[in-house]
Amino acid sequence: MNNTKSRNLSLSQRGMNFETLMWLFTRLSALGMYALILIALIGALIMGARNQMNFADVMRWAFMPNVTHVQNTDVPDVTPWNSLFWKLTGSALLLVAVAHGVHGLVVIADDYIASSRGRQIARLLSIVFMLTMIGIGLYIILTS
Amino acid sequence: MGLKRNVSLSTGLRYKGQGPFLTFILHRIGGIGMAVFITIHILASFLGGDGGKLANAIYENWAFQIFIFFCVLFHAINGLRITILDLWPKLLEHSHEAIWLEWAAFLPIFGISVLVIINTALGG
């Protein structure tokens, strides 16, 4: 009964705001990262990781499918590991992970910074930090 | 309006939040650990040089690998529990069982991984 009643309210009256959206984003991006890591893991096994890499190297590749993570392994030819598909998968993982992580840092900062001015500064710094890490990360992934 | 907490550090450390609080604080430690590590890792591979080599030497060390794998694995498994309980709120009824299930998944995976990492470090 309450359910039908609350649906008559507008989204903002039901508490929908940026923070609520980010709350949802944190959960959905977690599922997204699970999917991307699983894709990287399955891809590594298809490309021969079982006989050519040790456990730590497979983990390293799974958490960021970038070709530099397989260069010190027994993989004879890294060309398939350097394809456009893996660059796009790595870029997607970077974008999702940086957004998820920087938002997490803002949540932690909010536990210790109570003034609205301080929170504004924390948010501004987090946006600068996020854009810097995305820029550097994309440069590394796309040029390696 | 600043923060006002009339609680000493020793009292804070004796806070008895138990199981759920333990997962909360380990989730936070894991998150900060990963954020610091990944930031240094990205900067090191971008800048290179002596600082990059030093950073490389630190995170290729087996002790650091055990620490960062703890951060990643615990954050991932605890995050999955939070995600499932939050997106299907009916399951909140079983939140304590979910935490036991979480440890049942985490401990064997982490234990075997630590054994593999130490084995490799000893030249296996």
Side-chain angles (χ1 to χ4, degrees):
Chain A
M1 259 194 316
N2 283 332
N3 214 12
T4 48
K5 217 174 182 183
S6 69
R7 298 235 161 136
N8 292 327
L9 298 170
S10 72
L11 275 178
S12 60
Q13 279 171 312
R14 274 187 262 158
M16 181 58 79
N17 57 21
F18 180 70
E19 301 301 332
T20 316
L21 275 179
M22 286 311 289
W23 177 89
L24 187 61
F25 170 78
T26 305
R27 272 82 188 151
L28 296 181
S29 61
L31 293 179
M33 283 188 280
Y34 261 97
L36 289 168
I37 289 169
L38 215 57
I39 289 170
L41 192 60
I42 293 169
L45 293 172
I46 290 173
M47 291 187 293
R50 200 163 70 89
N51 297 318
Q52 295 156 355
M53 286 161 83
N54 65 31
F55 172 74
D57 291 326
V58 174
M59 283 295 108
R60 208 166 285 153
W61 167 267
F63 289 126
M64 178 41 76
N66 187 24
V67 67
T68 51
H69 284 166
V70 288
Q71 271 163 357
N72 293 327
T73 63
D74 296 335
V75 171
D77 178 20
V78 295
T79 320
W81 303 75
N82 202 14
S83 66
L84 180 68
F85 174 75
W86 289 122
K87 284 189 191 300
L88 291 178
T89 310
S91 305
L93 188 54
L94 175 87
L95 291 173
V96 174
V98 170
H100 179 105
V102 171
H103 176 255
L105 292 178
V106 171
V107 170
I108 295 174
D110 277 358
D111 276 358
Y112 301 96
I113 301 168
S115 71
S116 60
R117 182 99 188 97
R119 288 185 172 182
Q120 273 177 342
I121 295 171
R123 273 157 179 72
L124 185 68
L125 288 176
S126 80
I127 290 169
V128 173
F129 177 62
M130 184 174 81
L131 293 178
T132 315
M133 295 322 284
I134 286 176
I136 296 175
L138 282 180
Y139 173 81
I140 293 170
I141 289 171
L142 298 177
T143 59
S144 59
Chain B
M1 202 185 83
L3 280 184
K4 209 171 159 207
R5 291 187 181 126
N6 295 321
V7 177
S8 69
L9 180 64
S10 60
T11 315
L13 289 175
R14 273 187 277 112
Y15 171 64
K16 288 192 177 62
Q18 298 178 340
F21 176 69
L22 183 66
T23 61
F24 162 81
I25 200 69
L26 288 178
H27 195 78
R28 188 158 276 200
I29 291 170
I32 296 174
M34 272 192 286
V36 172
F37 162 69
I38 292 169
T39 305
I40 295 174
H41 185 56
I42 291 177
L43 288 177
S45 47
F46 180 62
L47 300 171
D50 284 344
K53 275 184 196 143
L54 178 69
N56 266 320
I58 292 172
Y59 49 66
E60 277 168 9
N61 186 285
W62 61 272
F64 186 84
Q65 288 196 349
I66 290 174
F67 167 72
I68 201 67
F69 195 67
F70 176 86
C71 291
V72 172
L73 192 67
F74 189 85
H75 201 89
I77 291 179
N78 191 50
L80 191 61
R81 173 184 68 88
I82 295 171
T83 303
I84 291 171
L85 291 185
D86 279 354
L87 296 185
W88 288 276
K90 273 185 185 167
L91 296 173
L92 276 172
E93 214 178 303
H94 310 290
S95 59
H96 277 267
E97 287 84 349
I99 289 179
W100 286 115
L101 202 61
E102 176 190 337
W103 285 111
F106 173 80
L107 289 175
I109 299 176
F110 186 63
I112 292 170
S113 309
V114 168
L115 279 181
V116 170
I117 291 171
I118 291 176
N119 236 346
T120 313
L122 294 178

PDB file of all heavy atoms in Angstrom, chain A residues 44 49 63:
ATOM      1  N   ALA A  44      42.316 -14.576 -21.092  1.00  0.00           N
ATOM      2  CA  ALA A  44      43.685 -15.027 -20.834  1.00  0.00           C
ATOM      3  C   ALA A  44      43.768 -16.538 -20.960  1.00  0.00           C
ATOM      4  O   ALA A  44      44.718 -17.079 -21.555  1.00  0.00           O
ATOM      5  CB  ALA A  44      44.127 -14.582 -19.439  1.00  0.00           C
ATOM      6  N   ALA A  49      46.986 -18.869 -21.248  1.00  0.00           N
ATOM      7  CA  ALA A  49      47.599 -18.525 -19.967  1.00  0.00           C
ATOM      8  C   ALA A  49      47.888 -19.756 -19.116  1.00  0.00           C
ATOM      9  O   ALA A  49      48.798 -19.760 -18.304  1.00  0.00           O
ATOM     10  CB  ALA A  49      46.684 -17.579 -19.192  1.00  0.00           C
ATOM     11  N   PHE A  63      43.060  -8.138 -13.496  1.00  0.00           N
ATOM     12  CA  PHE A  63      42.645  -6.872 -12.885  1.00  0.00           C
ATOM     13  C   PHE A  63      42.932  -5.681 -13.786  1.00  0.00           C
ATOM     14  O   PHE A  63      42.374  -4.605 -13.569  1.00  0.00           O
ATOM     15  CB  PHE A  63      43.314  -6.699 -11.523  1.00  0.00           C
ATOM     16  CG  PHE A  63      42.764  -7.640 -10.486  1.00  0.00           C
ATOM     17  CD1 PHE A  63      43.584  -8.466  -9.762  1.00  0.00           C
ATOM     18  CD2 PHE A  63      41.401  -7.694 -10.266  1.00  0.00           C
ATOM     19  CE1 PHE A  63      43.062  -9.348  -8.818  1.00  0.00           C
ATOM     20  CE2 PHE A  63      40.869  -8.569  -9.330  1.00  0.00           C
ATOM     21  CZ  PHE A  63      41.703  -9.392  -8.607  1.00  0.00           C
TER      22      PHE A  63
END
